[in-house]
Amino acid sequence: MKPMISLSRITAVLALAVLAWGCTPSQMKEEGRFYLSDAGLLDRYQITRSGNFRLQADSRFYIAQSHFVPVGHAYARPNILAEEGFAAAVQVFPMVRRAEQPLGLDEALLHTRQQGLDYLLYTRFASAQSSAGAQPTAEQASAGHVGRDAVVLQLMLLEAGTERLIDFATITNRTGFLAFSKTRPENLLREPMEDYTRQLLGRP
């Protein structure tokens, strides 16, 4: 009971603090989520980019995933990054296609050019850790990884014609202690990939 009481107290204190600042309901929601995420209670992700390159609104691009099997999580759906990246990108770009299966980088660039598209968004897992059915090691437990899923993605944006690397992004994401419904790292993909594609268009 004590952990639940502590979580309730933390939530209540955050809510009172936000109210004291005179925020609107939507601002309260965002502020509350930020602090709960910062405390490790809710999911939290971070996107690190090599630059701030932006695409034109009518840019056409191809999304593919590498053959690389994520370290620590060999059972991810084979083409999950391309699928989730496509689902995110079609919300903001009019012309997006994706590979039906994992491809090597040269193959992905060839497919991009063959379809007359401007850019390739090439994705891969750097690592993934699932709490589902796994017994954490002593090292993981001491680092606070017990019962939490984590994933690290790498995204390369290349110009199809020149093969020039325009942007390189790393997405790190971890479930919070209150995200009991999250059971696999795949569940951590959609929101940060939506955020990244909005950034490519220059949207907040």
Side-chain angles (χ1 to χ4, degrees), residues 18 21-35:
V18 173
W21 294 334
C23 296
T24 64
S26 60
Q27 289 173 325
M28 288 171 57
K29 180 180 178 181
E30 290 302 317
E31 291 287 347
R33 179 176 177 81
F34 172 80
Y35 286 107

Side-chain angles (χ1 to χ4, degrees), residues 92-113:
V92 292
F93 290 99
M95 185 62 174
V96 183
R97 293 179 181 171
R98 71 167 175 84
E100 296 298 323
Q101 60 188 12
L103 299 172
L105 180 57
D106 290 340
E107 291 177 288
L109 282 165
L110 179 60
H111 280 267
T112 306
R113 289 192 289 265

Side-chain angles (χ1 to χ4, degrees), residues 23-204:
C23 296
T24 64
S26 60
Q27 289 173 325
M28 288 171 57
K29 180 180 178 181
E30 290 302 317
E31 291 287 347
R33 179 176 177 81
F34 172 80
Y35 286 107
L36 288 171
S37 299
D38 194 50
L41 303 178
L42 296 181
D43 296 356
R44 183 180 186 184
Y45 67 85
Q46 181 176 2
I47 301 175
T48 304
R49 298 179 59 188
S50 61
N52 60 354
F53 183 84
R54 295 181 180 180
L55 296 177
Q56 297 295 321
D58 60 351
S59 296
R60 304 170 301 170
F61 61 98
Y62 190 71
I63 301 176
Q65 176 178 339
S66 78
H67 293 285
F68 183 76
V69 176
V71 175
H73 190 62
Y75 303 104
R77 198 158 75 244
N79 207 37
I80 184 67
L81 295 185
E83 293 167 7
E84 292 297 321
F86 176 82
V90 293
Q91 297 182 41
V92 292
F93 290 99
M95 185 62 174
V96 183
R97 293 179 181 171
R98 71 167 175 84
E100 296 298 323
Q101 60 188 12
L103 299 172
L105 180 57
D106 290 340
E107 291 177 288
L109 282 165
L110 179 60
H111 280 267
T112 306
R113 289 192 289 265
Q114 286 176 338
Q115 297 187 48
L117 304 176
D118 305 311
Y119 301 99
L120 167 66
L121 181 62
Y122 194 66
T123 65
R124 60 167 270 175
F125 280 103
S127 67
Q129 171 188 305
S130 176
S131 61
Q135 183 65 32
T137 64
E139 182 179 353
Q140 290 173 328
S142 64
H145 293 170
V146 181
R148 303 174 71 186
D149 298 333
V151 66
V152 179
L153 311 178
Q154 294 175 338
L155 287 73
M156 299 168 59
L157 182 66
L158 298 101
E159 194 171 47
T162 64
E163 301 186 11
R164 181 170 63 96
L165 180 65
I166 294 173
D167 190 30
F168 178 78
T170 300
I171 297 175
T172 57
N173 200 347
R174 182 181 300 280
T175 52
F177 286 110
L178 296 183
F180 299 119
S181 63
K182 305 287 187 175
T183 56
R184 299 179 70 83
E186 294 95 307
N187 295 327
L188 301 173
L189 304 177
R190 180 71 60 87
E191 186 176 359
M193 294 187 94
E194 288 177 343
D195 191 353
Y196 177 71
T197 53
R198 286 195 300 268
Q199 287 185 27
L200 286 179
L201 196 56
R203 292 183 179 177

